[in-house]
Amino acid sequence: MADPWLARWLPMAVEHAGAHPVLEIGCGHGDDTAVLAGAGLSVQAFDLSAAALAVAKLRVPSAKFEQRDIREPLPLPPQSAGLVVASLSLHYFPWAQTQDIVARIHAVLRPGGVLLCRLNSTEDRNFGAAGHPEIEPNFFMVDGQPKRFFDRSAAEALFAQGWKQISLQHFVTRKYVRSKALWEAVLERV
């Protein structure tokens, strides 16, 4: 289903990215990539799935794509990105590893650069926030895959240092047909 979440942030995204590259983490089939490239931004995107990347490359030929694991070094040099987009791609890891990934995102953004991020909510009952073996607090093994779920305090804690919070809002989307609860965070690198 269509999930136009980036539309309200697009003017700010364009302003903050400027001529700097945009890094998209976990681009999937390129839904957000298409929106960003359609706004004239220079997008470099990656995903772990080769099949998803094949679709994204066909949809958005102007973007640069590569297959990469988020736990690997990010593909841009420090302080080079004007914008990073990570929509529902930061929730597969233990807390310490999640903090490390966010620190590396911070490092790749230029001062004043922006992170647009969506995180699984602890209210996301349709997609695993309850009834599964717990690995650590709010981190579950869901059908063989680890998934983290955030409440407001966990989302705030993740971005407590080095970030200015522009927005942190709870939403429910129908992106995956069934209702999906998530946190949408907009953060500026300081």
Side-chain angles (χ1 to χ4, degrees):
M1 294 188 81
D3 185 23
W5 78 281
L6 275 179
R8 73 179 163 288
W9 300 113
L10 207 50
M12 184 194 68
V14 169
E15 177 187 334
H16 282 270
H20 300 279
V22 173
L23 179 62
E24 184 183 2
I25 298 170
C27 63
H29 294 119
D31 296 346
D32 294 340
T33 318
V35 172
L36 296 164
L41 297 171
S42 173
V43 183
Q44 185 163 343
F46 69 88
D47 200 278
L48 189 58
S49 168
L53 285 169
V55 173
K57 287 176 184 178
L58 289 173
R59 288 184 70 194
V60 193
S62 65
K64 295 178 186 171
F65 293 98
E66 65 180 288
Q67 187 175 4
R68 172 183 294 269
D69 188 312
I70 193 173
R71 293 169 289 190
E72 298 171 11
L74 295 177
L76 292 175
Q79 297 189 17
S80 64
L83 177 71
V84 174
V85 175
S87 179
L88 301 171
S89 59
L90 303 179
H91 58 253
Y92 298 105
F93 314 101
W95 184 251
Q97 200 167 40
T98 305
Q99 288 177 306
D100 177 65
I101 291 166
V102 169
R104 290 188 292 113
I105 292 170
H106 185 273
V108 81
L109 277 166
R110 64 178 184 79
V114 168
L115 169 62
L116 296 174
C117 174
R118 297 201 301 177
L119 306 165
N120 287 335
S121 167
T122 53
E123 296 178 27
D124 192 21
R125 304 290 182 224
N126 286 330
F127 293 94
H132 299 279
E134 193 169 36
I135 302 166
E136 61 183 45
N138 292 320
F139 187 48
F140 301 95
M141 187 59 70
V142 180
D143 302 326
Q145 183 174 42
K147 281 189 179 180
R148 174 167 302 287
F149 296 86
F150 294 80
D151 57 17
R152 178 177 287 279
S153 64
E156 289 175 343
L158 187 59
F159 302 110
Q161 295 188 336
W163 300 96
K164 174 186 170 190
Q165 183 179 301
I166 296 170
S167 178
L168 180 62
Q169 297 179 58
H170 194 266
F171 287 98
V172 175
T173 178
R174 303 283 297 187
K175 176 181 175 80
Y176 304 112
V177 182
R178 292 183 291 161
S179 296
K180 175 162 187 61
L182 55 86
W183 288 98
E184 186 176 285
V186 181
L187 305 130
E188 183 178 343
R189 182 200 192 275
V190 294

